[in-house]
Amino acid sequence: MITTIAKVFTGQMEGKEISLRGWVYRHRSGGNMVFAVVRDSTGIIQVAVKKDKVSEKDWKDANDAYVESSLTIRGVVKKDERAPGGYEIGATGFELISRGEPFPVAKDLSEEYLLDIRHLWMRSQKMTNIMKARHHIVNYLREFFNNDGFYEIAPPIITRSGCEGGSTLFEMDYFGEKAYLTQSSQMYAEVFVFSHEKVYVLAPSFRAEKSRTIRHLAEYWHLEPEMAFYDQKMNMDLQEKMVQYAVEKMVKEHPELLKACGRDPLELEKVLAPFERMDYAKAVDRVNELGGKMAHGEDFGADEEAILTKEAIRPMFVHNFPKDIKAFYMREDPKKPGTVLNSDLLAPAGHGEIIGGSERIWQYDELVTRMKEQNLDIKDYQWYVDLRKYGSVPHSGFGLGVERFVKWMLNLDHIRDAIPFPRTITRCYP
Ligand code: 4AD
Ligand code: MG
């Protein structure tokens, strides 16, 4: 019977003869013994091969195996306190499926080399665990919205106009005309608040980021909910609930995986709503009090966000930014003119901005006026402006950078490890 390593570790298989399919993780031979550590998608386990317990062919296979050779083994499950996981397999059969060539990944390789062989490095325990965690995190995020009556919408990736300013647009030739890879699906999500009311998009966004940082990708996955009849406060409340949902689920259902990724679940357990909500002006003062240097009217950089969140254990909102430094679609706060009804959610310990959201300008004249102020050509956005002509309603939404969120949840050093094949200014291979 073919089983999995995770099943073996449940203890149900003790004393039984089982078969496993997998890959060699480590390999050591000497005298009449071969010790192979074998992995499958569920775990890793030690296999002891004794020369007199297997056929001649299997003994040869066991000796010939390389790290990463694929194989089928047969053996008896034994309890062994010293073995990792508490069980070991005494092989009765050892058959290579593909021996392959010597694997080019060993210890102490440079980051650049590991990025060159990313397609192989994905098999490492580190990346396997991170990608499993990412799967669960994304799954919980989707689940949160699906449970709350949201519809998932499919936006286009090729677009005619930018959503977040010209400087980071990737331009392409679209049958002889200019088009762009989307920076955000927000404008397309907005189309659906007039029919589905609560929607979300989970799709890639593209930013031609010219800087090399530990939190910028040129291609990232973007979760963008958009809600009819939501104001700024409801928008922030929803973000808070969403973050707490994903965090609680991970802590409850995958504490071991979090640990394997280097994140202490006890630390995450403290991430309980409500999150602090701080006005932009106060946040600037706070940065300066804490030793930073920042003028009112400037945007926060990574350093300022780090100063602001250094002592925090939960994420915090900064809201009501000056309208001049924010996107054209953000609604001005009638109670605080000159500021918009937006918020950024900043993750603690220097991780910084993980969400940007706002109430949208929903009235036609107001939108056209703002677009003129920002020197945007209405022609490029005609369809978007049109939405305000026919039964428009107040609405809000936000964008969560999935890799930023994963980076914070797993406390990763660099955003590139939150995605299998990071696209950065210096790399789009493999
Ligand atoms: O703050 P941003 O630019 O906002 C928007 O795109 C809005 N249209 C979203 C919306 O309201 N629907 O981007 C939103 C989030 C950021 O908070 C950050 O988490 C992530 O997207 N992000 C990036 N992640 C990785 N690499 C980059 N270059 C990113 N740029 C933004
Ligand atoms: Mg932002």
Side-chain angles (χ1 to χ4, degrees), residues 121-167:
W121 180 236
M122 277 300 123
R123 302 184 190 189
S124 64
Q125 287 300 295
K126 175 182 172 178
M127 294 314 302
T128 301
N129 285 328
I130 293 174
M131 289 308 136
K132 282 182 185 174
R134 179 188 165 119
H135 160 82
H136 293 304
I137 291 167
V138 169
N139 191 29
Y140 295 140
L141 290 169
R142 270 215 168 92
E143 191 175 277
F144 174 80
F145 290 105
N146 293 341
N147 289 346
D148 201 19
F150 280 70
Y151 289 95
E152 183 172 354
I153 297 299
I157 299 297
I158 301 172
T159 66
R160 222 35 199 283
S161 43
C163 180
E164 300 298 323
S167 70

Side-chain angles (χ1 to χ4, degrees), residues 358-375:
S358 68
E359 225 175 291
R360 320 303 191 189
I361 298 179
W362 63 281
Q363 282 167 315
Y364 184 85
D365 292 341
E366 195 180 331
L367 183 58
V368 170
T369 307
R370 175 74 63 78
M371 290 176 81
K372 284 185 184 148
E373 274 170 25
Q374 295 211 358
N375 294 318

Side-chain angles (χ1 to χ4, degrees), residues 164 207 299 305 326 330 343-344 353 355-357 399 404:
E164 300 298 323
R207 306 280 169 106
D299 209 345
E305 288 180 0
K326 282 291 161 186
M330 294 184 180
S343 57
D344 278 359
E353 181 188 338
I355 298 180
R404 295 256 184 111

Side-chain angles (χ1 to χ4, degrees), residues 239-273:
Q239 293 168 45
E240 210 171 72
K241 263 174 73 182
M242 174 196 75
V243 169
Q244 184 159 332
Y245 183 85
V247 167
E248 271 179 354
K249 281 275 192 165
M250 275 309 282
V251 168
K252 198 163 149 234
E253 291 178 17
H254 301 286
E256 294 308 318
L257 185 56
L258 284 171
K259 279 187 214 154
C261 292
R263 165 61 99 180
D264 181 356
L266 295 175
E267 252 168 47
L268 272 187
E269 219 168 32
K270 298 179 195 144
V271 179
L272 299 173

